[in-house]
Amino acid sequence: MSDTKKLYIKTYGCQMNVYDSERMAEVLSGAGYEQSETPENADMILLNTCHIREKAAEKIYSELGRFKGLKASNPALKIGVAGCVAQAEGEEIMRRQPMVDIVVGPQSYHRLAELEARAGGGRKALDTDFPEEDKFERMARRPKMRRGPSAFLTVQEGCDKFCAFCVVPYTRGVEVSRPVEPILAEARDLVERGVKEITLLGQNVNAYHGHDGGGVSGLAGLITQLAGVDGLERIRYTTSHPNDMTDDLIALHGDCEKLMPYLHLPVQSGSDRILKAMNRKHTADAYLKLIDRIRAARPDILISGDFIVGFPGESDADFAQTMSLVEAVGYGQAYSFKYSPRPGTPAAERDQVPEDAKADRLQKLQELLKSQQVAAQERMVGRTVRVLFERAGRLEGQFVGKSEHLQAVHVSDPNLSIGDVRTVRIVESAPNSLAGQLPEQERVPNLPGE
Ligand code: SAH
Ligand code: SF4
Ligand code: F3S
């Protein structure tokens, strides 16, 4: 019998949490844990949580409730809460859900194995410090597991922007950039494990400014160096703030072949009055001009965004300006949310927009965004695109990958493998995916059914 223990991790929230969950699994593998797909029979359950909207945070407590039976039948089971709810609520989580043994904030993941050892048998372990040491270096990747062709790599964390609605500056702390060298080393290591596409992550990734030899590199400089890594074929980055889109980064979208033609650039609102109240520090017009410059550098770039409706003080006229901005930009993809008051943020204290107005605006905005997304998908039909295949599809012989514009593409062809980058002709579009075929000459003759 082996003494490997089973770890079940469930991840909520943004891509940075996905990256962090991988790192935590690696840290805990050093303590004898192997990841498991289900919570049943687990020795440790870890929820990596998100605090961005009230619903996201409340979900954690109902999820914890579901583990009561497991804890009752196995009192040695350790239950941990990580991520932004852990950072924001700390000890309160253990008060509300006494079965929680470990609470660990995003800056303390490198200490997770110690916390795990300390907790259990009624003892609790909590760490929500913002320590001085470099957690990234202390939880360096363990050698040498193969992995999927697309990976996240966190290069920057935290935020100093303090948008009036947002918890991130409180849960992730001040903006910190990792130095260039360990990022390059991590990228090379990922490529050795089979990775072909890396998405650079940061809450404000384009504010990146990492030590580089004797100097400092911005995101454009970092991407240029990453583009020199042999075997790395695609580079993406998210999420960006409009005010940090520097000229060199914009130009790189036209110059760097490995930099993919997709940009997530949230604007939140199209009303200058609301943008000001949100503390976004730019106008709607400045955003539109920025989009023009980015499209001048890379005409086919697909623009994605985030929107909040019903921010305190938003009138029908303000909302109409958001709709006009969306019309003017033409998004390929976007996320939109009803404003959710977050404890401790300035906007939570202001007069709130009634729920029915929020719901009505969200529906109108989502209809418009959806129609733009459908149109962007339909425009691809008949075109030839490059696809990186990431996983098997649901149908027999089917593979699913991403186009350069980050659109999901399904192809059924026995001639494909995961990790391939292939030319595909798009034959059909749906709102969230495209269907394609390998060009005639690349297909095996006499396919079944032909
Ligand atoms: N750093 C990114 C955003 C991170 S949060 C940026 O600056 O754009 C992801 C998205 O969640 C935000 O873009 C915003 O649209 C939404 N969001 C953040 N706080 C919110 C709140 N209190 N209510 C509703 N949506 C919110
Ligand atoms: Fe939040 Fe993004 Fe604003 Fe920072 S820039 S406060 S992460 S919305
Ligand atoms: Fe959520 Fe924290 Fe990410 S609040 S969106 S998990 S940074």
Side-chain angles (χ1 to χ4, degrees), residues 52 159-163 165-169 203-204 241 268 280:
I52 201 82
C159 182
D160 297 338
K161 297 243 177 341
F162 291 94
C163 299
F165 50 80
C166 186
V167 292
V168 170
Q203 266 89 28
N204 252 293
H241 190 288
Q268 316 297 355
R280 290 291 290 186

Side-chain angles (χ1 to χ4, degrees), residues 71-82:
K71 183 90 172 182
S73 59
N74 174 16
L77 169 66
K78 294 180 185 177
I79 298 186
V81 177

Side-chain angles (χ1 to χ4, degrees), residues 2 8 22 43 83 130 156 181-182 224 257 267 314 340:
S2 92
Y8 172 73
E22 286 174 16
D43 301 284
F130 286 93
Q156 177 277 336
E181 198 38 57
T224 304
E257 255 179 55
V267 64
E314 186 187 71
S340 169

